[in-house]
Amino acid sequence: MTEMIQCVGCGAIIQTTEVDEAGYLPESALRKGLEKGTLYCQRCFRLRHYNELKDLNISDDVFLNRLSEIAEDKAFVVSIIDIFDVEGSLIHGLPRFIGNQPFIVFVNKVDLLPKSTNLKRVEHWIRRILKENGLFPNDVILGSASKNHTLAALRTVIEKESKHRNVYIVGVTNVGKSTLINNLIAYYGGEKEVITTSNHPGTTLDMIRVPVNEQYAIIDTPGIIHRTQLGLHLNREELKMVLPSKLMKPTTFQLNPNQTIFIGGIARVDFNKGERTSFTFYVSNDMYLHRTKTENADGFYQAHIGELLQPPFKENVDSFGTLSPRTIQLKADQDIAISGLGWFTVNQDVEIVLWIPKGVGISIRESII
Ligand code: GDP
């Protein structure tokens, strides 16, 4: 191929020789696509039509190296994080990659929080986590990539900054970066829905430019795969169950000590010590919550993991691994957020043992409801 053609889904350069590399498209499909005028690489085509994902030989280093290009440009950075996976979605080394470029944090998927959520407290909590991780953004903006009317504040910043520089959108996979870019493309007059969105990490492969004015553009960067996300313990179908996708309905249990709640097969909460307490869970409506006696919990888990307690699904129980316990003191009206899954809150001081997959982050905060 002489001319470089980009996939309209992920931005990778289309090529017809390396099946396992980014941008692959069989020669015949390339010809057909050229006639039609829109070209998706095979990977994006499959993702769009069959929601099927092919793993690619691309390392995190390649992704991260692409980010360091930002440091050399006149740039402003919008770092997207997921309200349900703050720990898992913030980019710890951001200042290292972007140098001294100014940045803001856009907190996505706020539409899924219950209506009674105190957004000031959410923002306060997020600022605390950012600070704990050495991140000092110019601003923190809450919104929803999929809801245009929540994006006004973000667009104001983008329009102001793009007078002087390019606006780079960065984020780990699954934070909703493609959804946001698609929305910005639609808003700034481009073709609608040109970027692939999916439930699977690793959708966006290469940089895509969305011109905002004559000189500067919004630039989409590759999604960085983050290994501590709960999503990486699960396959696409399992992830669909776990990730909240509709407005959350809280579920409350009145518990006595020595009772246990399972959150599917992903997490287990043993109520160790305290007075009778109400535990309120905010997780995907598709997750099954099961109460049992703590003394029976091990046996119950062994008997029902992969079936009643899922995800993981039965065929993935072995690869999912085991849950690791951690003893935690929670105060009345504190939440404990489990990255990628949601959170729960208690109305009394309690001691619990929380069992979650290794590497999944947790954070304790003042209750946001
Ligand atoms: P990317 O990997 O960062 O590009 O993420 P995607 O844009 O593919 O989004 C990942 C998943 O989150 C998809 O299922 C989206 O529909 C969903 N999603 C993205 N943004 C929002 C949002 O603001 N609200 C809700 N409810 N879902 C969102």
Side-chain angles (χ1 to χ4, degrees):
M1 253 187 297
T2 45
E3 205 188 337
M4 303 246 268
I5 307 167
Q6 279 186 302
C7 165
V8 295
C10 65
I13 304 292
I14 297 282
Q15 50 87 17
T16 55
T17 47
E18 304 299 326
V19 180
D20 292 331
E21 303 292 330
Y24 175 75
L25 189 64
E27 190 82 52
S28 56
L30 173 64
R31 263 183 268 116
K32 265 193 221 141
L34 284 174
E35 282 164 19
K36 278 213 259 156
T38 23
L39 268 183
Y40 286 95
C41 70
Q42 189 173 59
R43 180 174 180 275
C44 286
F45 182 83
R46 286 188 172 156
L47 204 58
R48 288 177 68 85
H49 293 273
Y50 315 120
N51 211 15
E52 167 189 305
L53 196 87
K54 204 166 169 330
D55 289 325
L56 283 177
N57 296 328
I58 291 178
S59 70
D60 289 5
D61 291 354
V62 175
F63 285 91
L64 290 173
N65 275 335
R66 298 302 305 267
L67 277 196
S68 56
E69 289 175 16
I70 297 172
E72 287 146 32
D73 195 5
K74 257 171 99 177
F76 182 83
V77 177
V78 177
S79 175
I80 312 183
I81 61 175
D82 183 337
I83 185 78
F84 295 105
D85 193 6
V86 176
E87 301 275 346
S89 64
L90 56 84
I91 302 170
H92 296 263
L94 193 65
R96 194 152 33 95
F97 301 116
I98 67 171
N100 292 324
Q101 309 285 16
F103 75 100
I104 59 165
V105 168
F106 176 70
V107 185
N108 193 28
K109 308 191 190 176
V110 169
D111 58 300
L112 298 176
L113 295 173
K115 292 274 177 281
S116 50
T117 305
N118 181 332
L119 292 177
K120 275 270 156 264
R121 281 197 201 161
V122 173
E123 187 180 324
H124 181 79
W125 168 61
I126 291 191
R127 283 183 188 273
R128 190 189 85 206
I129 295 185
L130 292 172
K131 199 169 150 195
E132 282 165 9
N133 284 279
L135 294 169
F136 300 94
N138 289 10
D139 205 354
V140 173
I141 295 180
L142 273 55
S144 289
S146 59
K147 304 263 184 281
N148 254 320
H149 65 273
T150 70
L151 296 177
L154 179 64
R155 282 194 305 256
T156 302
V157 173
I158 288 176
E159 281 158 30
K160 176 168 165 259
E161 297 302 333
S162 62
K163 291 199 177 108
H164 321 283
R165 47 204 164 187
N166 288 315
V167 176
Y168 286 79
I169 315 277
V170 305
V172 303
T173 48
N174 251 327
V175 292
K177 193 157 60 66
S178 307
T179 306
L180 180 67
I181 294 276
N182 278 329
N183 240 322
L184 295 173
I185 287 173
Y187 189 84
Y188 291 108
E191 206 184 321
K192 212 172 155 52
E193 247 242 276
V194 291
I195 296 169
T196 314
T197 59
S198 84
N199 257 320
H200 206 286
T203 304
T204 308
L205 279 184
D206 224 322
M207 304 232 187
I208 286 184
R209 296 174 63 90
V210 184
V212 186
N213 55 41
E214 306 267 282
Q215 218 181 342
Y216 295 109
I218 297 167
I219 301 176
D220 183 24
T221 61
I224 301 146
I225 294 172
H226 201 284
R227 304 253 172 247
T228 64
Q229 279 173 308
L230 182 58
L232 296 171
H233 291 265
L234 303 170
N235 71 25
R236 186 175 56 242
E237 288 305 312
E238 292 166 332
L239 202 55
K240 256 195 206 158
M241 264 181 93
V242 176
L243 292 172
S245 60
K246 294 198 193 79
L247 196 68
M248 292 179 148
K249 283 199 219 87
T251 310
T252 300
F253 292 89
Q254 303 298 333
L255 297 184
N256 294 317
N258 304 315
Q259 288 190 307
T260 287
I261 299 291
F262 283 105
I263 309 173
I266 300 243
R268 160 180 165 187
V269 184
D270 298 344
F271 179 13
N272 246 11
K273 284 183 204 152
E275 303 286 313
R276 185 173 167 78
T277 298
S278 68
F279 284 69
T280 303
F281 291 82
Y282 298 85
V283 295
S284 160
N285 302 338
D286 294 335
M287 291 298 284
Y288 173 61
L289 297 174
H290 184 89
R291 181 205 319 233
T292 185
K293 283 189 188 147
T294 303
E295 60 179 332
N296 298 336
D298 283 341
F300 192 85
Y301 190 75
Q302 291 310 325
H304 297 289
I305 179 72
E307 289 176 336
L308 186 61
L309 302 179
Q310 53 170 237
F313 298 153
K314 199 168 177 60
E315 62 275 20
N316 302 325
V317 167
D318 292 339
S319 61
F320 179 71
T322 53
L323 303 178
S324 316
R326 190 162 148 191
T327 303
I328 296 167
Q329 315 293 333
L330 268 186
K331 290 206 164 40
D333 299 322
Q334 280 186 333
D335 291 340
I336 176 157
I338 306 168
S339 266
L341 182 61
W343 75 93
F344 62 90
T345 188
V346 291
N347 72 340
Q348 309 260 13
D349 294 0
V350 292
E351 179 181 290
I352 58 161
V353 180
L354 178 65
W355 302 68
I356 45 174
K358 264 212 172 68
V360 171
I362 56 169
S363 171
I364 295 169
R365 67 185 177 207
E366 194 187 349
S367 176
I368 59 169
I369 304 280

